[in-house]
Each structure stands twice: as C-alpha cells, then as structure tokens.
C-alpha cells in the first residue's frame, strides 16, 4: 500500500500528527496581530510573504493547554479547501513516513464529537501520537464560524 508523510508536532505534552500534503510551510513564531470580534480559537493574523493568514490556537479545539511562546514555537501553515491558516504549536519536530497499517483506529469512546477529529493513533518510538483528521478540524472551525 502507498505510504504517506506526516508532520509530528507538540502542544503542551501531547504529540499530534497531520498529513504533510496540506502543509505549505512551517514558520518560526511571528508576532500575531490581534483581530477584534473573532472566535476565541483564532488568536489573530500574520503577514506571511504578503498573504494575511489567520492563526488558530489548535489547543483550544483539542482540549490541550495553549501553546506557549518559546524558542521552539512554530506556526504550521496549512492550505486546505481553499483556506490558508496557521496552527500555533509548541514544537514541530519532524516529518515521518507511515503506511495506512501504522494508523490504529481510535477507541470508540474517543469518537464522542459530531466531528471526529481523530483519524487514528500512531505508536512512534514508544510514544503515542494522535493523528488528526485535518478535514474535520477545518470543518469544525468553519462550523463554529472561526472565519
């Protein structure tokens, strides 16, 4: 079967992965311009090579602690369904190659939301990594009128 590449990132102590095909770039932390009257998960916007990109606090959607601004902080810029957005993360560590068999189905009790955010679970070097279903993350943000 075909393999896929995923980017592994960290928010707080939790590790997540998304399909790298949607990632346009990984940026160092930049100052974020706050925008009034937006959803709480949108922390503001940045200018990325002349394009205004909304920055989303993905931690608020995942129930994690907010990403902290440190030397390792990154912004993962994704393009999905004609939207560009950045996810603020504590660290973007690496890109790995996996096969579909590496993705373990999440336990049934983790599928409690209308939008299933978890695509599956990966076991990488003794660590559990939650593989996110990016289309559902974006759909959830759209449903909550984040944009």
């Amino acid at each position: 079967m075909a393999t896929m590449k995923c980017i592994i990132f960290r928010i707080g102590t939790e590790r997540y992965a998304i399909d790298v095909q949607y990632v346009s770039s990984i940026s160092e932390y930049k100052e974020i311009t706050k925008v009034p009257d937006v959803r709480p998960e949108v922390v503001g916007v940045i200018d990325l090579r002349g394009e205004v990109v909304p920055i989303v606090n993905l931690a608020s959607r995942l129930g994690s602690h907010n990403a902290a601004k440190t030397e390792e902080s990154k912004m993962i810029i994704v393009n999905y369904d004609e939207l560009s957005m950045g996810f603020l993360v504590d660290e973007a560590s690496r890109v790995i190659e996996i096969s579909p068999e590496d993705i373990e189905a999440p336990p049934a009790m983790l599928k409690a939301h209308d939008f299933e955010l978890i695509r599956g679970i990966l076991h990488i070097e003794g660590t559990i990594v939650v593989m996110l279903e990016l289309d559902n993350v974006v759909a959830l943000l759209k449903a909550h009128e984040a944009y």
Side-chain angles (χ1 to χ4, degrees), residues 18 22-25 76-80 83-87 134:
I18 57 172
Y22 303 111
V23 176
S24 65
S25 67
I76 299 175
I77 310 300
V78 298
N79 290 314
Y80 188 86
L83 291 174
S84 287
M85 69 189 84
F87 296 138
L134 191 58

Side-chain angles (χ1 to χ4, degrees), residues 2 8 13 16 20 32 35 42 58-59 79 90 93 100 106 113 136 138-139 145:
I8 307 295
T13 58
Y16 299 95
V20 79
I32 299 170
V35 179
V42 177
L58 194 55
N79 290 314
D90 290 318
S93 57
H113 299 285
N136 289 345
V138 173
E145 298 176 23

